[in-house]
Each structure stands twice: as C-alpha cells, then as structure tokens.
Amino acid sequence: MTIYGYARVSTSDQDLSIQREALHKAGCELVREEKRSGTTLEGRQELDTLMAFMRSGDTLMVTRIDRLARSIGDLQDIVRKLKAKGISLRATEQPIDTSTAAGKAFLDMLGVFAEFETNLRRERQLEGIAKAKEAGVYKGRKPSIDVEKVKEMHQAGQGATAIAKALGIGRASVYRVLEGESVQDGLTRRTATYLQT
C-alpha cells in the first residue's frame, strides 16, 4: 500500500511548498503538483496521472478537500473512480478517510461547502464588476488577440494557420478577426455607394 500526495493551487503566483511539506510529513512517498483551477477537472494532468497510476490498496492524500475539487459533482466523480479501483482518500487537515463511514459522510459535507464557497466567490466577483461598471471604472479583461497584428500578417500574405501558430491563438480567432474586417469593408463599400447615389 502506497500513499500518494496531490497538491494544487489555482494560479502560477501561488506557492505549493506548504502543501508539499505537509504531504511528505504525512507519509506520502510521491507528491504530484499542479497550478490549475479546481473548478473543473479539465486539464488537470497531474491528477489524471495519479488516477491512472494508483492501484488497489493505495491512498490518495490531499491537505484539504478543496485542493482536489471545488464542485460536489467533480468530487463525487473522483471519489467514485477511487472507490472502483479500491483506493482510499485522506486529507491531512480534515478528518476525511473514505475507508470509514464517518469519513465518507464528512467528505460529502465538505464537498457541499467547497462548492458553496466557490459560488459565493463568483457572486461577489459579479457584484464587484457590476459596481465597477456603474462607476465607469471597469475595463474588463485585457484582449488576448492583437487584432492589428492579425490584419498586418494577413495583408503580408500569411494564411490563418500560420498567423494562429505565430501568435499562439486558435485559427477560429483569426477567422473571426478577418471576417469582422471583411464585414466592416463591405459596410464601408455599401455606405460609399449609397452616398454616391
């Protein structure tokens, strides 16, 4: 029986050292870490690696249950997969141990609270954005696509695939920019024709 640790933070500027240390102290032979949002299971490659690697009798350990998932649905999916493989789940800071009835019940309660906390945070963010918009100070997210650069590269004869690769964006984004330009050009031509008649 092997104890594997899983540590997670949401953003690249957050530190994993406290979780890593706690998991090693708790007896984890191997700790996998990642900096990904806990609101989804998408792109959680380190967690996927652990799930594929662990065997019956092993234990997956986290410091707190919200390091594993922030939605009750995702948490239940993970627990179901672990149970099917005969793997138990434990947490260093919470009385969770899925090998006991009390531990399972506590896990379900914490999952509900983790999801509730996430939903509250989202509501507060939306309220803050609404207030900022009212005050005229909300700028929104910085655009991730340099529209002028896309147009410039297209005019230089580069195709959508080459532009997307060079700028690190999707081809669909390139097409949207170029379609917007052609729609605008079409409107300009139609307006000019209308004014001349």
Side-chain angles (χ1 to χ4, degrees):
M1 183 186 97
T2 308
I3 303 174
Y4 295 99
Y6 175 72
R8 182 195 63 78
V9 289
S10 298
T11 60
S12 57
D13 59 338
Q14 290 177 307
D15 187 28
L16 284 156
S17 59
I18 294 171
Q19 288 181 60
R20 185 187 310 123
E21 189 178 327
L23 291 167
H24 280 304
K25 276 185 183 175
C28 294
E29 294 180 23
L30 174 76
V31 175
R32 303 292 293 205
E33 320 173 344
E34 59 192 340
K35 296 187 176 188
R36 303 288 298 192
S37 171
T39 57
T40 179
L41 295 178
E42 296 284 324
R44 306 266 297 279
Q45 293 168 339
E46 295 300 328
L47 179 59
D48 291 342
T49 299
L50 275 174
M51 297 294 278
F53 187 76
M54 291 184 295
R55 300 291 176 254
S56 180
D58 289 342
T59 298
L60 174 61
M61 187 172 292
V62 290
T63 53
R64 295 188 321 272
I65 209 62
D66 63 356
R67 299 302 87 205
L68 199 55
R70 284 201 165 267
S71 97
I72 192 67
D74 287 346
L75 182 59
Q76 287 172 337
D77 286 346
I78 292 168
V79 171
R80 270 193 292 271
K81 287 176 187 173
L82 292 173
K83 185 178 178 183
K85 292 182 78 172
I87 300 162
S88 61
L89 172 64
R90 287 170 48 202
T92 61
E93 296 177 22
Q94 297 161 325
I96 295 168
D97 183 349
T98 57
S99 63
T100 69
K104 287 177 191 169
F106 196 71
L107 174 68
D108 287 341
M109 289 189 321
L110 283 175
V112 169
F113 287 122
E115 185 170 3
F116 177 61
E117 181 187 359
T118 300
N119 291 336
L120 280 179
R121 186 182 304 112
R122 192 172 293 124
E123 283 178 13
R124 285 194 299 268
Q125 286 173 339
L126 291 174
E127 286 170 7
I129 289 169
K131 284 181 183 175
K133 282 181 178 178
E134 280 178 25
V137 294
Y138 182 71
K139 292 183 174 69
R141 188 175 62 148
K142 185 181 176 185
S144 58
I145 298 168
D146 186 342
V147 173
E148 292 308 313
K149 187 73 176 166
V150 171
K151 291 177 182 177
E152 180 186 308
M153 292 174 78
H154 179 67
Q155 287 166 355
Q158 293 194 43
T161 302
I163 295 170
K165 190 172 183 181
L167 299 179
I169 59 177
R171 267 189 342 183
S173 298
V174 174
Y175 288 128
R176 275 195 297 275
V177 169
L178 297 178
E179 284 170 14
E181 186 178 36
S182 63
V183 167
Q184 193 65 35
D185 289 347
L187 288 172
T188 304
R189 282 195 296 272
R190 281 199 294 277
T191 304
T193 304
Y194 175 74
L195 291 172
Q196 288 168 2
T197 58

